[in-house]
Amino acid sequence: MSKKKIALLGATGSIGKSTIEVVKKHSNKFEIILASSHNNYKNLFEYAKQLNIPNLAITNENLRSKIKSDKKIYFGEDKLLELLNNLDYDILLNAVVGSAGLRYTIAGLQSKHNIALANKESLVMAGDIITKMAKKNECRLIPIDSEHSAIMQCLLGNSLSFGIRKIILTASGGPFNNWKLEDFDKIILKDTLKHPTWNMGPKITIDSATMANKGLEVIEAHHLFGLKYEQIEVVIHPQSIIHSMVEFIDGSILSQMSYPDMKIPIQFALSYPERIPASAQFTDITSLPDLTFHKVDYDKFPLVKIAYQVGKAGGIMPTIFNASNEAAVSLFLREKIEFTDIRKIIERNLDKPNIANPDLETILSIDKEVKEKVFTTAN
Ligand code: NDP
Ligand code: MG
């Protein structure tokens, strides 16, 4: 059988690194034919050497004059979009962080490719456009997000969305799950970066601490599984062993579980519809801590509730939520604002008239506009 050809975007990030491990373990099944990074060209070159990757792209144009290499490198977003249209590959794995990932998801779908999607921001901003395009071009959209992979796995063998009462997205609750609301003013960056169960890139680590991440995932689930927001529940499960659940109308609940390791959903997305031997550690269930579940405290984590509201409103509201969050998180990571300012910035920016059924250009221009506004107001 010929190898599955992967175009891996965001190869140098946390998901990218786990993908490289999965591909190394299954080098007889997968090959990476294109890898991209934005800044981190050293790791990109290292991966290219280890895995013999023929096409490399660096999306940050400014690095063009600084990088010397005897290999051909493609620079800039437009060049990468062109490659996605012209290269021969089987699946696009989009592990770019933030709204920058949207145009690549669209390019992959436009050129009729299956997508393994880590970049949840794509679906949050343009879920209607993406799901329509995937259907029209008969492309698979396979989530890498562990919760959504869990739900997809629970739905295998069931006709999707038939007989579902609701889905239950689990959330670890992040580093502040046990903190009191009155102590949130004292949170500093260092506390925020200590995620209790997952090791991830900086943006999603902050998103997990504010639980904006779970809000984004609610919107992601709405689009992926075609469910009403009322059918999506969020539950705190601090041990991150059960990755999500589906409750059916007959009262049965199916869940998917394992140690928290992104190699499992990444590999599932790449091997689908097959299952292949694990690249992650098997779960010793007798060694697990007690598995507990409790409700979200919306006073502590209002961004989950706000995400439901913007998701229901649709139009450009999810884009505003996402863009203001992304900009605020970037300011927080540079220690320019406080943790509690992230929420305030998002709320302030949502005070804007909605636009129904926005096209891609409108979405991208709103994203840019909101981010610029957040950055200029902070300076
Ligand atoms: P990282 O920050 O670790 O990596 C991001 C990757 O995107 C890097 O390769 C980076 O390149 C590249 N990148 C950054 N900015 C741009 C840009 N403007 N244009 C093109 N490429 C860019 O992120 P994660 O791997 O943690 O997350 C990636 C995506 O996966 C996010 O959407 C996240 O929400 C999602 N996800 C992540 C999970 C995790 O466990 N990490 C779990 C579930 C979902 P460079 O290294 O050169 O800067
Ligand atoms: Mg997740």
Side-chain angles (χ1 to χ4, degrees), residues 9 77-87 89 92 94 101-115 122 129-130 133 137 139 360:
L9 308 191
E77 186 182 87
D78 289 343
K79 205 73 213 169
L80 179 52
L81 290 167
E82 212 178 294
L83 286 174
L84 292 178
N85 277 314
N86 298 333
L87 287 177
Y89 60 102
L92 166 64
N94 187 351
L102 173 57
R103 290 182 66 193
Y104 305 122
T105 304
I106 299 280
L109 291 172
Q110 255 164 356
S111 50
K112 304 201 170 174
H113 290 93
N114 292 328
I115 314 275
S122 294
I129 296 175
I130 288 171
M133 198 179 270
N137 289 352
C139 305
L360 188 63

Side-chain angles (χ1 to χ4, degrees), residues 120 145-147 213-214 217:
K120 63 189 87 183
D145 220 345
S146 56
E147 297 75 5
N213 182 51
K214 211 48 56 179
E217 291 183 357

